[in-house]
Amino acid sequence: MHVVIVGAGEVGTTIAENLAADHDVVVIDIDADRVDSLQYELDVLTIAGDGTVLSTLESANVAKADLFIASTDDDQTNLVACGTAKTLSDVFTIARTRSVEYLRTWERTEAAFGADFVVCTDLLSAETVVRVIGLPAAIDVDPFAGGLVQMAEFEIDPESPVAGQTVAEADRFDSLTFAGLFRNGDMILPTGQTVINPNDRAVVIGSPESVQAFATDIDPETTPGAADEIVIVGGSAIGYQVARLLEQRGFKPRLIERDADRARWLAEQLPKTTVMQHDATDTAFLSREHIDKADVVVSTLDSDEKNLLASVLAKRVGADRVVSIVDSGDYVTLFEEVGIDVVINPRQVTAEEIIKYTYETVAENIAVLENDAAEVVELELSANSELVGVPIAELVPSLDAELVIGAITRNRSFVTPRGDTVLQPGDHVIVFVETSYVNELTGMA
Amino acid sequence: MAFSPVRVGWRASLDLAGQVLVYLAVPLAFPLAIAVYYGESVLPFVATIAVTLTIGSAFRYLSDPDENLGPREAFFAVALIWLLVAVIGSIPFLVVGVGTTAHPVNAMFEAMSGLTTTGATVFGDGDFAAHSRSVLMWRQVIQWLGGLGILILATAVLSELGVGGAQLMETETQTKDVNKLTPKISETAQLIWGLYVGITALAVVVYYGLGVSGLAPNMDLYNAIAHAFTSVATAGFSPEADSMGAFAPIVQWAAIPFMLVGSTSFVLLYLFIYGEPERLLKNQEFHFYIGVFVLSSALISMLLAFDGGISYGLEETVRHAAFNAASILTTTGYASADFALWSPGATYVLFLLMFIGGMVGSTTCSIKSLRWLVALKSFRRLLFTSIHPEAIRPIRISGRPVDENTIRDIYSYLLLSIVIFVLLTIVIVANNERVGAPIGVFDAMGAAASTFLNIGPAFGEAGPYGTYDGFPMSTKIVMIVLMWIGRIEIIPVLVLFTRSFWTS
């Protein structure tokens, strides 16, 4: 595959590093020195130049490229680069943005900006934070369909209230599908009557809200509930998104923001969040507001130094679990060494998301489960797909494989798959399927 | 003392006022037609039309087309229009020269009470019989015009002035939504007028239908029109001395929804009819307003049921409670019974209802539900922020945050209203004392609230079947001024009396 990457920052370099072994990679950066040093570090072709200029892209041979990744630190540059690349060929373009606004625009018509895929750093980081906070009991969690659908795998503890229940009893959520059970390494496709045994591993697919609620059912001890105290320090774009996603999942977080205007704006946008306008490093304030009793503290301030200070302080006053955003990859280990429980680097999260994308062919998104016994794949159905037009109740038995349709998204909204649901072209279908059948299935999409 | 130059383009204000006075000839033609139909004297209306056309034209002649109508000019124009229309509206009473309204102050009181949709009357016992049908209809027409005028102020043309609580309406987005339907402001106004006329027409049909079907034999077409005008305008005049009590119970039941609708935001009503009913049904102010109506009706029903001096049946108890609660809450001022004779508990509930009022963007008067809702919510916030001083808690109405400046304005408005109400009460008590006709404090408070907040009937002598004629002339003059101030929500009038309005 011929891959062109614009921007040789942390994200671009990480992606180039991962792809260089198996693909022809061209890296474009405006900084000639950076380009020079990269040339010695990695086995890639480098070009010094502006990635939004046609001549630069021509010299990178974008016309022949299979994949075009715009991953500079500047949103507009990335979007313009994708638009420019599209004038040369129908190359698949991926744009990195910070701003959620551009992502929302792109979601309206996916032709916007000439980008075929938009990875939003802030939102992705926030989703990661919320997954870490919300589902500590899950062995594995993966988002699908731009975050509308979640797959989660749980091990059923013998103490769990659902141990010994049937699937029909345990799955009391409309938008949740009980996709599969692993028992002693064997895959079981459950029916309503299947009994959930202790130590089974359960794979569920559904809306993030229903997965969250299910996690509370199976492991009420470790899963935070609405009563748990979650404190977000710093109303940055990521902090705002974390609060918003937590609200969606039924939490009532508290958010501390120093700037008065920003605090007011946040309070207006977040009706279920208690916004407090104060300096989060004031220990008297922290103890007055009982931050020391918090179950989770998330530090999303706008600089690594402040995040370090706030996280260490939160840990010191006695917060149970501290999650921090760290902008610079170099500091990740430092944060971990001083005892911060979870450290999330937006650039790393973004690079991983883009790399994951490059692995995938027709299937948009894949999660591999239980030593490759089964996978959860996301398919976008084409107009001539073999899967469209037949009710699911007839479709699934006609396929010679063990599979469960876990969730469908249609026009960016969640559709619960039922026996009489008919798949349509353009649907995103999230399927739990045995690994040996994945290739055949993706061929049918 | 040197005079600073006047910086208000008063000629532009005169131009607008002049236009309104010229157009006032059109509604005056309606009682004129009634007079012709019943063979009554046409002189009162011919004379009034002549006066309004003359003054209107003179104003337009004085006006300067180059001057722009900015916010100051609009304030001045609004205050001027409400005053002048009331003055001209009093002319028919003076020309006729019958009963109490032969006196200029009384005539002015009646006209101002009409135009401000108050519904307080100085008519004495025999006056309803003494006046011609056309003059009685003029009282109804002027109320309907007053309702229309306030709707235009509150929802469309001059909504920037914030009269009628327009600046409160879902923090501006409400008016913007209607403007989105029609980019031109005059078209927005037409939608609202259309709705107002439509609901009035519906009321005529319903009332007259009850009349012709024999359910309410004395509800003829004349009465149907007369009461439709003052129901939807939440105004309260009636050509009958017994108000709505003159008609069958079914008419009173039918009037309740029309009063309630007249007091509901017309913008939300418009959206309700044209495809977005949830905007009204999920509106918190609407919930609050309807909640107050239901609770107060239930409370009054209970108080009436336990009142030993009253022997209503079940239907009668509920009807009188609901009807009079709706009448006072919506600031209409009809009566189905003489509630001045009820036990103190029930009358106190009615007295409290006077201060609430209906929704912003309607024909209602008084303080309005939205202001109370915002104030109550911000009291509740105060309890929270006193424990968590750093917490930022926007006040939300129907999910939308309310601007902090608006909240401060609402506090000042509430305070100002209460202060003016107390001052008026003192004036009433002191003045009555002076002329040797002492008045009870509760009756004085009722009369003060009822006139300043534009409700209509009060308690005691000024009760629903009584008259304001007994007050001294000087008290009546103060009431006229306060009805005027209260109707256009205090600020546009008070601002005229500040030096900086004129000079800086």
Short mmCIF file of all heavy atoms in Angstrom, two decimals, chain A residues 254 260 263-264 267-271 274-278 285 288-289, chain B residues 381 384 387-396 399 401-404:
data_model
loop_
_atom_site.label_atom_id
_atom_site.label_comp_id
_atom_site.label_asym_id
_atom_site.label_seq_id
_atom_site.Cartn_x
_atom_site.Cartn_y
_atom_site.Cartn_z
N ARG A 254 -18.87 16.41 38.85
CA ARG A 254 -18.58 17.79 39.19
C ARG A 254 -17.40 18.24 38.35
O ARG A 254 -16.51 17.45 38.06
CB ARG A 254 -18.26 17.91 40.68
CG ARG A 254 -19.53 17.99 41.49
CD ARG A 254 -19.28 18.44 42.89
NE ARG A 254 -18.67 17.38 43.66
CZ ARG A 254 -18.16 17.57 44.88
NH1 ARG A 254 -18.16 18.77 45.39
NH2 ARG A 254 -17.64 16.56 45.54
N ALA A 260 -14.04 32.30 34.71
CA ALA A 260 -15.45 32.57 34.99
C ALA A 260 -16.34 32.39 33.76
O ALA A 260 -17.39 31.75 33.82
CB ALA A 260 -15.62 33.98 35.55
N ALA A 263 -16.53 28.78 32.77
CA ALA A 263 -17.33 28.02 33.74
C ALA A 263 -18.81 28.24 33.48
O ALA A 263 -19.61 27.30 33.52
CB ALA A 263 -16.97 28.44 35.16
N ARG A 264 -19.18 29.49 33.20
CA ARG A 264 -20.58 29.79 32.92
C ARG A 264 -21.03 29.04 31.65
O ARG A 264 -22.11 28.44 31.61
CB ARG A 264 -20.74 31.31 32.73
CG ARG A 264 -22.05 31.77 32.17
CD ARG A 264 -23.13 31.84 33.22
NE ARG A 264 -24.44 31.95 32.58
CZ ARG A 264 -25.58 32.00 33.23
NH1 ARG A 264 -25.60 31.94 34.53
NH2 ARG A 264 -26.72 32.10 32.59
N ALA A 267 -21.47 25.43 32.45
CA ALA A 267 -22.66 25.19 33.26
C ALA A 267 -23.92 25.26 32.41
O ALA A 267 -24.88 24.53 32.64
CB ALA A 267 -22.73 26.21 34.39
N GLU A 268 -23.90 26.12 31.40
CA GLU A 268 -25.07 26.21 30.52
C GLU A 268 -25.21 24.97 29.65
O GLU A 268 -26.31 24.53 29.36
CB GLU A 268 -24.99 27.47 29.64
CG GLU A 268 -25.23 28.74 30.43
CD GLU A 268 -25.27 29.96 29.55
OE1 GLU A 268 -25.08 29.84 28.32
OE2 GLU A 268 -25.49 31.06 30.11
N GLN A 269 -24.06 24.44 29.21
CA GLN A 269 -24.10 23.28 28.30
C GLN A 269 -24.36 21.98 29.05
O GLN A 269 -24.81 21.01 28.45
CB GLN A 269 -22.78 23.14 27.53
CG GLN A 269 -22.35 24.37 26.77
CD GLN A 269 -23.37 24.80 25.76
OE1 GLN A 269 -23.91 23.98 25.03
NE2 GLN A 269 -23.68 26.08 25.73
N LEU A 270 -24.01 21.93 30.33
CA LEU A 270 -24.04 20.66 31.05
C LEU A 270 -25.03 20.73 32.22
O LEU A 270 -24.66 21.00 33.35
CB LEU A 270 -22.63 20.35 31.59
CG LEU A 270 -21.53 20.22 30.55
CD1 LEU A 270 -20.16 20.29 31.20
CD2 LEU A 270 -21.68 18.91 29.79
N PRO A 271 -26.32 20.46 31.93
CA PRO A 271 -27.33 20.67 32.97
C PRO A 271 -27.17 19.74 34.17
O PRO A 271 -27.62 20.08 35.27
CB PRO A 271 -28.65 20.41 32.24
CG PRO A 271 -28.31 19.75 30.96
CD PRO A 271 -26.90 20.11 30.64
N THR A 274 -22.37 19.66 38.12
CA THR A 274 -22.20 20.82 39.01
C THR A 274 -20.87 21.47 38.65
O THR A 274 -19.81 20.88 38.87
CB THR A 274 -22.19 20.37 40.47
OG1 THR A 274 -23.41 19.68 40.73
CG2 THR A 274 -22.09 21.58 41.39
N VAL A 275 -20.96 22.65 38.08
CA VAL A 275 -19.74 23.35 37.68
C VAL A 275 -19.33 24.28 38.82
O VAL A 275 -20.16 25.01 39.35
CB VAL A 275 -19.97 24.16 36.39
CG1 VAL A 275 -18.71 24.92 36.01
CG2 VAL A 275 -20.39 23.23 35.26
N MET A 276 -18.05 24.22 39.20
CA MET A 276 -17.56 25.10 40.25
C MET A 276 -16.44 25.93 39.68
O MET A 276 -15.55 25.42 38.99
CB MET A 276 -17.03 24.30 41.43
CG MET A 276 -17.78 23.01 41.65
SD MET A 276 -17.80 22.55 43.37
CE MET A 276 -19.14 23.51 43.97
N GLN A 277 -16.52 27.24 39.97
CA GLN A 277 -15.51 28.13 39.42
C GLN A 277 -14.49 28.41 40.50
O GLN A 277 -14.73 29.19 41.42
CB GLN A 277 -16.17 29.41 38.94
CG GLN A 277 -15.21 30.31 38.19
CD GLN A 277 -15.35 31.72 38.62
OE1 GLN A 277 -16.46 32.20 38.81
NE2 GLN A 277 -14.24 32.40 38.78
N HIS A 278 -13.34 27.75 40.42
CA HIS A 278 -12.30 27.93 41.42
C HIS A 278 -11.00 27.31 40.92
O HIS A 278 -10.98 26.55 39.96
CB HIS A 278 -12.72 27.30 42.75
CG HIS A 278 -12.04 27.92 43.92
ND1 HIS A 278 -10.85 27.46 44.39
CD2 HIS A 278 -12.39 28.96 44.70
CE1 HIS A 278 -10.49 28.20 45.43
NE2 HIS A 278 -11.41 29.12 45.63
N PHE A 285 -10.04 24.56 49.33
CA PHE A 285 -11.25 24.38 48.52
C PHE A 285 -11.52 22.89 48.27
O PHE A 285 -12.65 22.41 48.39
CB PHE A 285 -11.08 25.12 47.19
CG PHE A 285 -12.03 24.72 46.11
CD1 PHE A 285 -13.37 25.09 46.16
CD2 PHE A 285 -11.60 23.97 45.02
CE1 PHE A 285 -14.24 24.72 45.16
CE2 PHE A 285 -12.47 23.60 44.01
CZ PHE A 285 -13.78 23.97 44.09
N ARG A 288 -12.94 21.41 51.37
CA ARG A 288 -14.29 21.90 51.65
C ARG A 288 -15.31 21.23 50.75
O ARG A 288 -16.42 20.93 51.17
CB ARG A 288 -14.34 23.42 51.46
CG ARG A 288 -15.66 24.01 51.92
CD ARG A 288 -15.64 25.52 51.95
NE ARG A 288 -15.60 26.12 50.64
CZ ARG A 288 -14.66 26.94 50.21
NH1 ARG A 288 -13.66 27.27 51.00
NH2 ARG A 288 -14.70 27.46 48.99
N GLU A 289 -14.93 21.00 49.52
CA GLU A 289 -15.86 20.37 48.58
C GLU A 289 -15.69 18.84 48.59
O GLU A 289 -16.19 18.16 47.70
CB GLU A 289 -15.67 20.94 47.17
CG GLU A 289 -16.19 22.37 47.03
CD GLU A 289 -17.71 22.47 47.21
OE1 GLU A 289 -18.40 21.47 46.96
OE2 GLU A 289 -18.20 23.54 47.62
N ARG B 381 -31.63 28.40 43.91
CA ARG B 381 -30.21 28.38 43.61
C ARG B 381 -29.42 28.99 44.76
O ARG B 381 -28.35 28.52 45.13
CB ARG B 381 -29.92 29.15 42.33
CG ARG B 381 -28.43 29.36 42.13
CD ARG B 381 -28.12 29.92 40.79
NE ARG B 381 -28.51 31.31 40.65
CZ ARG B 381 -28.23 32.04 39.57
NH1 ARG B 381 -27.59 31.48 38.56
NH2 ARG B 381 -28.59 33.29 39.50
N PHE B 384 -28.52 26.65 47.33
CA PHE B 384 -27.41 25.76 46.96
C PHE B 384 -26.07 26.49 46.99
O PHE B 384 -25.11 26.00 47.56
CB PHE B 384 -27.66 25.19 45.55
CG PHE B 384 -26.63 24.20 45.12
CD1 PHE B 384 -26.72 22.87 45.50
CD2 PHE B 384 -25.55 24.59 44.32
CE1 PHE B 384 -25.77 21.96 45.11
CE2 PHE B 384 -24.59 23.67 43.93
CZ PHE B 384 -24.71 22.35 44.33
N ILE B 387 -24.11 27.07 50.25
CA ILE B 387 -23.27 25.97 50.76
C ILE B 387 -22.07 25.77 49.84
O ILE B 387 -20.98 25.44 50.28
CB ILE B 387 -24.06 24.65 50.82
CG1 ILE B 387 -25.40 24.87 51.50
CG2 ILE B 387 -23.26 23.58 51.56
CD1 ILE B 387 -26.37 23.75 51.28
N HIS B 388 -22.28 25.92 48.54
CA HIS B 388 -21.20 25.73 47.56
C HIS B 388 -20.96 27.05 46.84
O HIS B 388 -21.44 27.24 45.72
CB HIS B 388 -21.57 24.65 46.54
CG HIS B 388 -21.88 23.33 47.17
ND1 HIS B 388 -20.92 22.46 47.60
CD2 HIS B 388 -23.05 22.73 47.42
CE1 HIS B 388 -21.48 21.39 48.12
NE2 HIS B 388 -22.79 21.53 48.02
N PRO B 389 -20.24 27.95 47.46
CA PRO B 389 -20.12 29.30 46.87
C PRO B 389 -19.45 29.32 45.49
O PRO B 389 -19.67 30.24 44.72
CB PRO B 389 -19.28 30.07 47.89
CG PRO B 389 -18.72 29.07 48.82
CD PRO B 389 -19.56 27.84 48.75
N GLU B 390 -18.67 28.30 45.18
CA GLU B 390 -17.99 28.31 43.88
C GLU B 390 -18.85 27.75 42.76
O GLU B 390 -18.46 27.83 41.59
CB GLU B 390 -16.69 27.50 43.94
CG GLU B 390 -15.62 28.09 44.83
CD GLU B 390 -15.76 27.64 46.28
OE1 GLU B 390 -16.65 26.81 46.56
OE2 GLU B 390 -15.00 28.12 47.13
N ALA B 391 -19.99 27.16 43.11
CA ALA B 391 -20.79 26.51 42.08
C ALA B 391 -21.40 27.52 41.12
O ALA B 391 -21.87 28.58 41.54
CB ALA B 391 -21.89 25.67 42.72
N ILE B 392 -21.36 27.21 39.85
CA ILE B 392 -22.00 28.04 38.83
C ILE B 392 -23.26 27.29 38.40
O ILE B 392 -23.18 26.19 37.90
CB ILE B 392 -21.09 28.21 37.60
CG1 ILE B 392 -19.70 28.69 38.01
CG2 ILE B 392 -21.72 29.11 36.57
CD1 ILE B 392 -19.63 30.13 38.36
N ARG B 393 -24.39 27.88 38.66
CA ARG B 393 -25.64 27.20 38.35
C ARG B 393 -26.53 28.10 37.51
O ARG B 393 -27.24 28.95 38.06
CB ARG B 393 -26.41 26.89 39.64
CG ARG B 393 -25.82 25.84 40.49
CD ARG B 393 -26.93 24.94 40.91
NE ARG B 393 -26.45 23.58 40.89
CZ ARG B 393 -27.14 22.55 41.33
NH1 ARG B 393 -28.34 22.72 41.80
NH2 ARG B 393 -26.64 21.36 41.27
N PRO B 394 -26.53 27.97 36.22
CA PRO B 394 -27.45 28.80 35.43
C PRO B 394 -28.90 28.44 35.75
O PRO B 394 -29.19 27.27 36.02
CB PRO B 394 -27.11 28.42 33.99
CG PRO B 394 -25.85 27.63 34.05
CD PRO B 394 -25.77 27.04 35.41
N ILE B 395 -29.75 29.44 35.77
CA ILE B 395 -31.19 29.19 35.91
C ILE B 395 -31.67 28.73 34.54
O ILE B 395 -31.37 29.37 33.53
CB ILE B 395 -31.93 30.47 36.30
CG1 ILE B 395 -31.38 31.03 37.60
CG2 ILE B 395 -33.42 30.23 36.39
CD1 ILE B 395 -31.66 30.22 38.82
N ARG B 396 -32.41 27.66 34.52
CA ARG B 396 -32.93 27.16 33.24
C ARG B 396 -34.44 27.21 33.22
O ARG B 396 -35.09 26.84 34.18
CB ARG B 396 -32.51 25.71 33.03
CG ARG B 396 -31.08 25.55 32.70
CD ARG B 396 -30.67 24.10 32.77
NE ARG B 396 -29.23 24.01 32.81
CZ ARG B 396 -28.45 24.07 31.73
NH1 ARG B 396 -28.99 24.14 30.54
NH2 ARG B 396 -27.16 24.04 31.85
N GLY B 399 -35.21 24.12 30.05
CA GLY B 399 -33.90 23.62 29.63
C GLY B 399 -32.94 24.67 29.11
O GLY B 399 -31.77 24.42 28.94
N PRO B 401 -30.79 28.13 29.44
CA PRO B 401 -30.28 29.02 30.49
C PRO B 401 -30.79 30.45 30.33
O PRO B 401 -30.95 30.94 29.21
CB PRO B 401 -28.76 28.96 30.31
CG PRO B 401 -28.52 28.34 28.98
CD PRO B 401 -29.73 27.59 28.59
N VAL B 402 -31.06 31.08 31.47
CA VAL B 402 -31.51 32.47 31.48
C VAL B 402 -30.31 33.36 31.80
O VAL B 402 -29.55 33.07 32.72
CB VAL B 402 -32.61 32.68 32.54
CG1 VAL B 402 -33.09 34.12 32.56
CG2 VAL B 402 -33.77 31.74 32.28
N ASP B 403 -30.19 34.42 31.05
CA ASP B 403 -29.10 35.37 31.24
C ASP B 403 -29.15 35.98 32.64
O ASP B 403 -30.22 36.31 33.14
CB ASP B 403 -29.25 36.47 30.18
CG ASP B 403 -28.09 37.40 30.17
OD1 ASP B 403 -26.97 36.91 29.96
OD2 ASP B 403 -28.30 38.60 30.40
N GLU B 404 -27.96 36.14 33.27
CA GLU B 404 -27.93 36.68 34.65
C GLU B 404 -28.45 38.10 34.71
O GLU B 404 -29.07 38.50 35.70
CB GLU B 404 -26.51 36.62 35.21
CG GLU B 404 -25.97 35.22 35.43
CD GLU B 404 -26.81 34.38 36.39
OE1 GLU B 404 -27.27 34.91 37.40
OE2 GLU B 404 -27.02 33.18 36.10
#
